[in-house]
Amino acid sequence: MTTRRLFLGGAALAGAATVARSALAALPEPASRTDTNTAAPLAPAQGRPYRPVVTLNGWSLPFRLRNGWKEFHLVAEPVVRELAPGMNAQLWGYNGSSPGPTIEVVEGDKVRIFVTNRLPEHHAVHWHGQRLPNGMDGVGGLTQPHIPPGKTFVYEFEARRPGTFMYHPHADEMVQMAMGMMGFWVTHPREPRRVPGYVECDRDFVFLLNAFDIEPGSATPKVNTMLDFNLWCFNSRVFPGIDPLVVRRGDRVRIRIGNLTMTNHPIHLHGHEFVVAGTDGGWTNPASRWPEVTVDVAVGQMRAVEFVADEPGDWALHCHKSHHTMNAMGHDVPTMIGVDHREVVQRIQKLVPDYMVMGERGMADMGEMEMPLPDNTLPMMSGQGPFGPVEMGGMFTVLKVREGLARNDYRDPGPYAHPAGTVAREWTDAAPEPQRAPGAASAAPAPLRARKPSGHNAHH
C-alpha cells in the first residue's frame, strides 16, 4: 500500500515522466459529468449489493473492482456550474461538477481512491467522518504531503462503519471550499438487518448545503467572504434550479443532508413529520427519536431524516432562515414600506422612463415584475407555480408525493392536481358577526395614543 502511494506521489514528484504516464494509464478512467439534472441511482454492477442513493442534481461515481479493492478516481479541477437557468458560476470541483460525485461503498469494502490534482495550487482530500489510518485522513501538511498540481495520490482504507459522510479539501480549505469543492459519501451496511436503528427505505436522497458570494454580473465566488453569502444552495443549485424530490405515496423516504456552509440551517419539510434516524456518528436508537418537522443542521454536520410519504401533494422543503430562500439581494436598499413616494417617482420618470417604484407595499411585486438584471445573475425571488409566483430562491425545493409511480421513476410529474374543494379560496359570503363576551359593547376601536417611552436611556 505504502509502496504504491509513494510510487504515484513521490516517484512522480521526482520527475519520472515516462513512469508516471505508465502508472496513470493503469488508473480507472475518470468519469466526468457536467449535466445538472438528477441522475438515476447507480446500481452496482459488481461487488456487494446495496440499494443506491439518489443525489439531488448530481450523480454517483462509477468504480471498478481490482484484486479485492473498490477503486475510484477523483479529479480535482475547475468546473462551470449552472446554479439555475440564467446563471453560470466559475467554480472548482471534482470530475466536472460541483459538488463532486457521490461515492457509494459497502461496510467492509477495501476502498482505493486515486486523486488527480488539476487545480492551479496544491490539494488534499479529507474523508469527513471516516474511521481510517491516520495517514489517510487527508489533512495536508499534518497527515500527508500536499498533492502538487498535476500529480496523483492514492488513498486506501477499509470502509469500517455504515453511515453518511462527506469529503472535502483540507488544503487551502477556505478558498477551495468557497470555490465549491466537496462531495457526499455513503457507506451502506453489509447486513442491514443487523445494524441497530437502520431500516431499508424506498427512496434515499442525498444533498449538501453550500453557499457562494458572487457579485451580480460576475461568475467567480468571492473567496474571502465569511458570513454574508448571497447564494444559498442545495448541491450548488438554487431555486428554481433545484430538482424536486419525487416519491410514491406510501414510500418510506430518507433524506441525508450535509452542511458545508459557514452557518447552521433549520431544514423544514411541509406536510409530514420525520425522525432524525442518522447523525455523523451513525444510526440513532429508535427509542431516542421523536417526531419533528424541522431539523437544524450545524456546520460540518450530517443528518438523515426518515418518514413515510403518506400525504399526496407538492410539499415545500427549505431552509427556514428567510434570507437563505432568496437569491442575490441588495442589502443596502432602504426599507420603503409605508412611504408614499409617488410624486417623487413621477419626477424621476421624466428623466428615467423605466424607473419603477419598489418596496413601498412590501417586496411581493418582485415575484411578478421583470426588472432588467445584469448579465449572469438571478432575481432575488423567482419561480412560477400553478397559482402564480412562488417568490422563493436559494435553499428551496419541493417534495412531490404521487400515487402509482413506478419504483424507480424519479421524473417530475408536474403540478399536483388538487381534489375539488381542497384549495384555499376567497370567502365571498357575508362576513360573520364577531364573537363578543356577554355584555360587551360594540364600540369603535379606541384611538391609538403613542406615548414616548422614558427610562432605559441606554437603549435605542
Side-chain angles (χ1 to χ4, degrees), residues 155-224:
Y155 296 84
E156 294 175 326
F157 55 90
E158 177 184 344
R160 291 167 58 182
R161 65 182 181 92
T164 305
F165 308 100
M166 303 183 279
Y167 62 90
H168 61 77
H170 231 298
D172 194 10
E173 183 174 332
M174 182 192 77
V175 168
Q176 296 189 10
M177 290 180 63
M179 290 291 288
M181 301 198 76
M182 56 194 69
F184 222 97
W185 177 301
V186 174
T187 300
H188 298 277
R190 180 166 50 186
E191 299 182 72
R193 294 182 179 179
R194 294 192 174 185
V195 178
Y198 179 86
V199 295
E200 292 281 18
C201 286
D202 301 293
R203 305 209 178 202
D204 194 342
F205 297 93
V206 307
F207 62 86
L208 289 167
L209 310 174
N210 57 336
F212 300 105
D213 182 14
I214 303 177
E215 288 284 348
S218 64
T220 303
K222 295 164 67 175
V223 297
N224 291 323

Side-chain angles (χ1 to χ4, degrees), residues 242-360:
I242 304 174
D243 284 344
L245 285 69
V246 179
V247 306
R248 296 179 302 184
R249 185 180 187 184
D251 273 349
R252 184 173 185 84
V253 180
R254 177 183 298 127
I255 303 176
R256 309 185 198 224
I257 306 164
N259 180 6
L260 286 175
T261 71
M262 299 283 197
T263 187
N264 66 309
H265 298 278
I267 302 298
H268 175 52
L269 174 63
H270 293 206
H272 294 79
E273 306 86 37
F274 56 71
V275 296
V276 177
T279 72
D280 317 60
W283 301 100
T284 60
N285 187 327
S288 70
R289 301 171 184 172
W290 61 83
E292 298 196 65
V293 297
T294 303
V295 59
D296 196 29
V297 188
V299 180
Q301 278 190 335
M302 290 157 283
R303 291 289 181 267
V305 302
E306 294 179 7
F307 59 97
V308 175
D310 51 6
E311 296 287 349
D314 289 345
W315 303 105
L317 173 68
H318 61 93
C319 178
H320 220 292
K321 291 184 175 178
S322 297
H323 61 298
H324 293 182
T325 54
M326 298 289 149
N327 293 325
M329 293 181 285
H331 292 182
D332 297 329
V333 175
T335 299
M336 300 299 291
I337 292 176
V339 178
D340 185 352
H341 52 300
R342 286 171 292 185
E343 184 178 347
V344 176
V345 169
Q346 290 173 358
R347 294 181 182 178
I348 294 176
Q349 286 179 337
K350 291 179 180 177
L351 300 174
V352 185
D354 293 334
Y355 182 81
M356 292 185 293
V357 176
M358 188 174 70
E360 67 178 8

Side-chain angles (χ1 to χ4, degrees), residues 115-132:
V115 178
T116 297
N117 181 12
R118 293 179 182 165
L119 299 174
E121 67 172 358
H122 65 216
H123 187 55
V125 183
H126 168 54
W127 314 101
H128 187 115
Q130 303 278 357
R131 283 182 174 262
L132 37 59

